[in-house]
Amino acid sequence: MKSVILKTATRLMIGLMLVFAVYVFLRGHHEPGGGFSAALLAGTAFSLLAITNGADHVRKAIRIRPSVMALAGLALAAGAGLPALFFGKPFLTGIWWQTETFAAGTPLLFDSGIFLAVLGAILSILLALEEN
Amino acid sequence: MRITPPDTGAVPDCCRKGLYSCLLPAGLFALLCLAWPRVVNGDVFTVQWAWVPSLDLNLALRLDGLSLLFGLIITMTGFFVTIYASSYMAGHPQNGRFFVFLHAFMIAMLGIVFADNLLLMFICWEATTMLSFLLIGFDHEKSDARENARQALLVTGAGGLFLLMGILLLKSAGFSMTLSVLSESADVIQNHALYPAIFICFMVGAMTKSGQVPFHFWLPNAMSAPTPISAFLHAATMVKAGIYLLMRLHPVMGGTPLWMSTLVLVGGATALWGAIQALGPCDLKRILAHTTLMALGILTLFLGGQTVLSLTAATTFLMVHALYKAALFLAVGSIDHQTGTRDLNDLGGLATRMPLTALAVAGATLSMAGFPLFFGFIGKEIMYAGALAEDMFPLFAAGITLSANALMTAVAAIILLTPFAGTLPAHLKNTCETPWTMRIGPAFMGLIGVVFGIMPEWVSENLIQPAVFAFHPDREEIRLFLFHGINLPLVLSIITLTSGAVIYRQKIRLRRGIRFLTDHLWVTMPGLYQSGLTRFLTTAATVTRILQNGSLTTYMSVIVFTLVVLTGSVWLPHVADIASIPAVTGPYIAMGLFVFVLGAAAVVVTARHRLAAIGGLGGVGGGVALIFLVFGAPDIALTQLLVETLTLIFVSLILLRLPPMEPIVKPGATFQARTLRNAILSISAGLLVFTLVSGVVSTPLDRSLTAFFETHSYVSAHGRNIVNVILVDFRSLDTLGEICVIVLAAWAGVHLIRRPFGQRKAP
């Protein structure tokens, strides 16, 4: 698309949208958001980039192939279930590491897996549509 | 460090990695030998690990006399076949793959004979089916190898499904999947109403695997596998799986009139037909393949008996056959390998050129013909005794055994005399003996028949009796002797040998007659299989054309129609009792949103351009998302909004590639059936969903789950957003499945998009 306005606006907006996606991803644990929504947001951001600057631009921006990203996401999500096995708990039980004020655990990894898998899926369809 | 030998272009004599891999069967054989003395004493080794206890699926292994006998045959044949193949397959570009398949095949077969759990046995059974497919089609560049592999897969795979049905039915009758437990409740099972169904299922499974008439036709075709595989498949694995199954099931299901009559009749038919057909071909390997059918028929025939004598006959003949058949297949492979032909008309006088192979074939064929002092003689004697002691049709059994054995004697003579005796044809002058790796197997297995034939007492005490005891409750001792005295079996033996000689004299005329017969049969099983397959494929193509016609409108209509009819037929009779029109409450802004959504929907329905329709759809989606927000479901609202946005982008990308939209009402026409149909379908689907939702709303909601998640969400999962905690923690396995679906769908979608319509191959 040759709209200069959209192109310029995209350059400003894409960073904002990606940062917002990270924000939505992180706030998901206490408020609406999470890996899936964040992936949709990031997917929208990249769609904007693809429409204005072309698919090649998106490929350069994400550096890895979207199918690899999707599979890595699946692997990460499945891998997040493994630590539980070492503690003798069922697969995918959340394992937590916590201090007085802060807690992090395998569900965070699992959510990252969701994010990557969904984003990879969206991007692979998007790029296929754009490049066809 | 390994130094690659210089490439001289010559075929290497031996494939090292193949030769070294014979350590696997050798090691397994040695392990079995360690357990052997204790098994002979009556010990039973069992191991059990829980796998899926809720499905009654345990990794239960059991080693008793029968498993031991089979295990020894499998590992020994596997050992010699591996050594043999290391030369036979030398220089083949894919011989690494060959040995992997071969050993996997062996392990799957061992799994069948050591499994105590029927489901575990089924899994190994299917594994042998798959691996035999790979091995029969090993020369995948040849179209007949592919065709034969597919035939074997379809026939034995279908039988495998029957076996699975049989196992499930047997579980409902005997309340167990464990063979050793089931044999204790044999009475209950045999008097159960489901017994005939169970029997038929198991029988079809065993018949397809063991090549019984009428499922016999895949077995001769399976010889398009490399010869070592044919030897392994015919002598020790695959086809013996069905026989093993019948033996194992004997204490559970055997002894009923149904069992006895079916096995005797099916086995008899197979034995006779296999033996007759063995005289027809000139291809040595095909002759051997038909003799395997005869052997499998005889084994089934004797398993139909209930006396210890007939079961001992079956077990003895199993050993006899395994030894001579493996030796003969390997020897025929050697002839083929050295001369380049296995056609009887081109062969002769090879005894001087390949002396050790000739000796091995002599040992094997004399055992096959049942000459005195050979193991086959012992087998034949006990077969006649066993046939006469059958509970059902003893004369039929004895007659079949007699004629099949006479034919086998003639075939044995053909296999021994035609290629090895007589004058050496000119084109075979340069033939030389095979390397040691290809001599050791046939020689050992061909000549051990003599050893066993001279000391039958030892064999019967250490191998056959423990095996028979494992599947027959009566501990009646049947000893094998070299000479039983002058009795009816001996007389029958002499008749067999003489009539075998007579048949051999007439072999040319008989061959012509049998060819004429097989060429002029009206109905043949291969023909039925072929026409059935063709008809199946055309039916599938027709069904696919109707159901998968490529019109998205049709797909959607079918889906919505099914939803309306199926759900509606169940739901509508109760609609008045449960559903009620809910009272209209809520903030006023929701009212405005409803109106907005309705308006957007009206735009979709009446749009004349796609972009307008898409815009309308986006309006509907966005409006619904806002309604979610107003009624306090921010998570769903957020997701819905994001999904709507992305969908809009994707759909507009697709839109650019579509032809202009067909007008809903064609110019000039005022009324169209299609429009009316779509309208009725949409409105009824909408009404149905409305009544369903109102029904759900009027049913009191069980809040116990909500309460659980509310109390546990922060305490055990450190999150306050219950929806997300459920997604990534409490029910993360579901989520994992869902993202798998998303990735798979994307993958499929990419491939659909990438391939332009013009470049699609015609189906």
Side-chain angles (χ1 to χ4, degrees):
Chain A
M1 208 177 280
K2 285 178 187 164
S3 159
V4 181
I5 299 174
L6 191 60
K7 222 170 184 172
T8 318
T10 303
R11 209 172 294 165
L12 295 173
M13 279 171 64
I14 183 155
L16 265 178
M17 286 174 83
L18 289 177
V19 172
F20 187 59
V22 174
Y23 167 72
V24 168
F25 175 78
L26 288 177
R27 87 197 276 265
H29 219 61
H30 292 306
E31 279 155 274
F36 187 76
S37 316
L40 293 177
L41 252 172
T44 315
F46 283 119
S47 311
L48 207 53
L49 192 64
I51 291 170
T52 52
N53 290 12
D56 283 345
H57 216 88
V58 178
R59 280 200 187 275
K60 271 184 206 139
I62 58 172
R63 281 156 203 258
I64 57 169
R65 281 162 51 197
S67 52
V68 175
M69 185 192 279
L71 290 178
L74 278 190
L76 189 61
L82 294 180
L85 298 181
F86 291 109
F87 293 91
K89 292 179 180 168
F91 180 62
L92 280 171
T93 312
I95 299 296
W96 290 89
W97 169 80
Q98 52 181 327
T99 61
E100 286 284 311
T101 52
F102 182 76
T106 52
L108 187 66
L109 279 183
F110 186 80
D111 216 9
S112 320
I114 299 179
F115 176 80
L116 286 179
V118 175
L119 184 57
I122 292 173
L123 286 180
S124 45
I125 296 260
L126 175 79
L127 292 180
L129 279 175
E130 264 295 313
E131 286 168 354
N132 195 353
Chain B
M1 200 181 122
R2 249 178 63 186
I3 300 164
T4 322
D7 186 12
T8 54
V11 176
D13 202 28
C14 174
C15 160
R16 294 270 155 168
K17 57 192 169 194
L19 189 59
Y20 296 149
S21 71
C22 78
L23 287 175
L24 176 69
L28 290 170
F29 186 81
L31 278 179
L32 287 174
C33 285
L34 286 180
W36 194 346
R38 289 186 58 191
V39 172
V40 171
N41 286 336
D43 286 2
V44 172
F45 295 84
T46 51
V47 200
Q48 184 163 338
W49 297 282
W51 186 1
V52 191
S54 52
L55 290 179
D56 204 358
L57 176 54
N58 300 313
L59 283 176
L61 302 179
R62 191 163 188 276
L63 178 65
D64 59 10
L66 187 63
S67 309
L68 179 81
L69 176 68
F70 269 90
L72 289 173
I73 292 178
I74 294 164
T75 48
M76 189 189 75
T77 320
F79 173 70
F80 286 120
V81 164
T82 309
I83 294 186
Y84 181 91
S86 68
S87 282
Y88 189 87
M89 299 301 286
H92 193 289
Q94 286 163 339
N95 52 18
R97 183 194 295 188
F98 175 86
F99 287 103
V100 171
F101 288 168
L102 178 71
H103 289 120
F105 195 42
M106 180 184 76
I107 288 166
M109 191 61 205
L110 287 175
I112 293 180
V113 300
F114 291 142
D116 197 23
N117 184 289
L118 277 169
L119 275 180
L120 179 60
M121 185 201 258
F122 171 75
I123 290 167
C124 296
W125 181 282
E126 290 294 279
T128 58
T129 302
M130 291 295 160
L131 287 162
S132 69
F133 169 74
L134 293 172
L135 286 166
I136 295 169
F138 191 74
D139 291 324
H140 51 82
E141 295 90 359
K142 295 181 189 154
S143 72
D144 67 326
R146 292 199 302 272
E147 179 56 39
N148 293 336
R150 186 173 69 169
Q151 192 180 51
L153 180 71
L154 287 178
V155 175
T156 56
L161 292 181
F162 273 92
L163 175 66
L164 182 62
M165 274 198 286
I167 291 171
L168 296 178
L169 287 176
L170 186 59
K171 180 167 194 247
S172 67
F175 301 107
S176 178
M177 292 259 192
T178 310
L179 277 163
S180 45
V181 175
L182 280 169
S183 52
E184 284 158 20
S185 49
D187 288 341
V188 183
I189 293 166
Q190 295 190 2
N191 295 318
H192 200 276
L194 281 173
Y195 176 77
I198 301 172
F199 172 74
I200 289 169
C201 286
F202 276 111
M203 195 61 205
V204 172
M207 279 163 72
T208 50
K209 199 81 165 177
S210 285
Q212 301 293 317
V213 168
F215 306 114
H216 59 286
F217 53 91
W218 71 267
L219 184 55
N221 290 339
M223 55 157 226
S224 52
T227 305
I229 291 306
S230 304
F232 201 33
L233 194 139
H234 282 254
T237 55
M238 189 74 183
V239 296
K240 292 290 168 65
I243 300 297
Y244 174 80
L245 180 72
L246 292 179
M247 287 180 165
R248 266 289 168 232
L249 288 176
H250 202 279
V252 184
M253 304 181 65
T256 58
L258 181 64
W259 170 282
M260 289 195 274
S261 53
T262 314
L263 260 69
V264 170
L265 291 178
V266 168
T270 309
L272 203 58
W273 184 234
I276 290 174
Q277 277 195 307
L279 280 173
C282 282
D283 179 352
L284 272 172
K285 211 171 160 184
R286 190 164 273 277
I287 297 177
L288 287 178
H290 285 299
T291 60
T292 305
L293 286 182
M294 169 268 175
L296 295 169
I298 290 285
L299 286 171
T300 310
L301 175 89
F302 282 106
L303 288 175
Q306 183 59 12
T307 56
V308 183
L309 202 57
S310 67
L311 298 182
T312 308
T315 316
T316 315
F317 184 59
L318 179 90
M319 274 190 73
V320 174
H321 173 251
L323 290 172
Y324 78 68
K325 188 50 62 69
L328 285 181
F329 258 112
L330 293 183
V332 165
S334 295
I335 296 176
D336 193 12
H337 193 257
Q338 300 305 101
T339 65
T341 178
R342 34 175 218 252
D343 193 309
L344 284 176
N345 300 322
D346 298 343
L347 293 168
L350 282 174
T352 52
R353 302 286 168 190
M354 303 170 70
L356 197 68
T357 308
L359 192 65
V361 171
T365 45
L366 288 176
S367 181
M368 178 177 169
F371 267 83
L373 291 186
F374 285 86
F375 194 34
F377 176 71
I378 315 283
K380 200 163 50 176
E381 293 280 285
I382 185 114
M383 263 153 70
Y384 287 133
L388 293 170
E390 289 248 5
D391 305 78
M392 276 205 163
F393 320 121
L395 284 179
F396 172 78
I400 291 279
T401 317
L402 183 68
S403 27
N405 271 329
L407 288 163
M408 270 315 95
T409 311
V411 173
I414 292 175
I415 295 171
L416 175 63
L417 296 179
T418 316
F420 289 104
T423 50
L424 193 68
H427 62 277
L428 298 180
K429 285 281 188 259
N430 296 326
T431 312
C432 53
E433 182 61 285
T434 49
W436 69 270
T437 41
M438 288 172 72
R439 287 193 303 246
I440 178 170
F444 184 84
M445 286 189 288
L447 296 177
I448 200 169
V450 190
V451 181
F452 282 180
I454 293 170
M455 38 193 271
E457 294 92 345
W458 183 85
V459 179
S460 92
E461 205 167 298
N462 288 298
L463 282 166
I464 292 169
Q465 266 188 8
V468 176
F469 286 168
F471 69 104
H472 197 282
D474 298 343
R475 302 241 143 189
E476 185 189 339
E477 295 213 347
I478 303 276
R479 290 293 172 94
L480 302 179
F481 291 111
L482 200 53
F483 187 65
H484 284 271
I486 297 177
N487 51 11
L488 191 55
L490 185 68
V491 176
L492 290 176
S493 262
I494 295 166
I495 296 177
T496 311
L497 288 178
T498 5
S499 45
V502 173
I503 297 172
Y504 177 71
R505 306 277 301 181
Q506 301 292 326
K507 62 179 174 179
I508 306 285
R509 200 170 297 164
L510 275 169
R511 184 176 298 155
R512 226 173 278 142
I514 288 165
R515 285 225 185 123
F516 181 82
L517 176 71
T518 45
D519 288 350
H520 290 82
L521 278 181
W522 294 313
V523 184
T524 56
M525 278 317 288
L528 281 181
Y529 164 83
Q530 205 52 50
S531 65
L533 191 65
T534 319
R535 213 162 289 168
F536 180 75
L537 290 178
T538 48
T539 314
T542 315
V543 171
T544 310
R545 221 169 25 246
I546 294 169
L547 290 183
Q548 212 171 344
N549 55 5
S551 155
L552 199 58
T553 319
T554 317
Y555 297 165
M556 292 298 288
S557 312
V558 169
I559 293 172
V560 174
F561 183 76
T562 317
L563 173 85
V564 170
V565 170
L566 288 187
T567 319
S569 60
V570 178
W571 168 241
L572 285 182
H574 307 287
V575 115
D577 310 337
I578 302 168
S580 57
I581 307 256
V584 182
T585 52
Y588 286 110
I589 190 165
M591 300 295 156
L593 285 171
F594 279 124
V595 175
F596 173 71
V597 170
L598 280 177
V603 170
V604 178
V605 175
T606 55
R608 285 181 184 278
H609 297 282
R610 284 216 169 83
L611 211 54
I614 298 302
L617 272 182
V620 173
V624 171
L626 289 175
I627 292 173
F628 283 140
L629 199 61
V630 170
F631 283 99
D635 277 284
I636 304 176
L638 175 68
T639 314
Q640 166 92 7
L641 212 54
L642 288 170
V643 169
E644 279 300 331
T645 316
L646 256 183
T647 316
L648 210 61
I649 295 174
F650 274 30
V651 171
S652 27
L653 282 177
I654 297 166
L655 269 188
L656 299 174
R657 289 167 230 294
L658 288 180
M661 191 156 105
E662 252 179 82
I664 291 177
V665 179
K666 279 191 183 141
T670 48
F671 171 81
Q672 275 200 324
R674 206 182 87 167
T675 316
L676 186 68
R677 192 193 67 197
N678 288 350
I680 292 173
L681 207 54
S682 318
I683 291 170
S684 45
L687 281 176
L688 176 76
V689 173
F690 175 73
T691 56
L692 275 173
V693 172
S694 68
V696 169
V697 173
S698 14
T699 322
L701 191 65
D702 179 8
R703 293 194 70 89
S704 58
L705 269 181
T706 319
F708 169 84
F709 287 127
E710 273 169 0
T711 44
H712 287 80
S713 174
Y714 192 69
V715 181
S716 41
H718 307 272
R720 287 202 188 85
N721 177 1
I722 301 176
V723 177
N724 212 31
V725 166
I726 292 174
L727 281 177
V728 301
D729 201 336
F730 285 129
R731 304 206 51 101
S732 45
L733 193 61
D734 292 353
T735 314
L736 188 60
E738 281 154 17
I739 57 175
C740 283
V741 171
I742 291 178
V743 171
L744 275 178
W747 193 24
V750 166
H751 286 272
L752 281 177
I753 297 166
R754 282 265 161 84
R755 182 179 282 182
F757 280 89
Q759 290 174 14
R760 281 210 181 153
K761 282 181 205 151

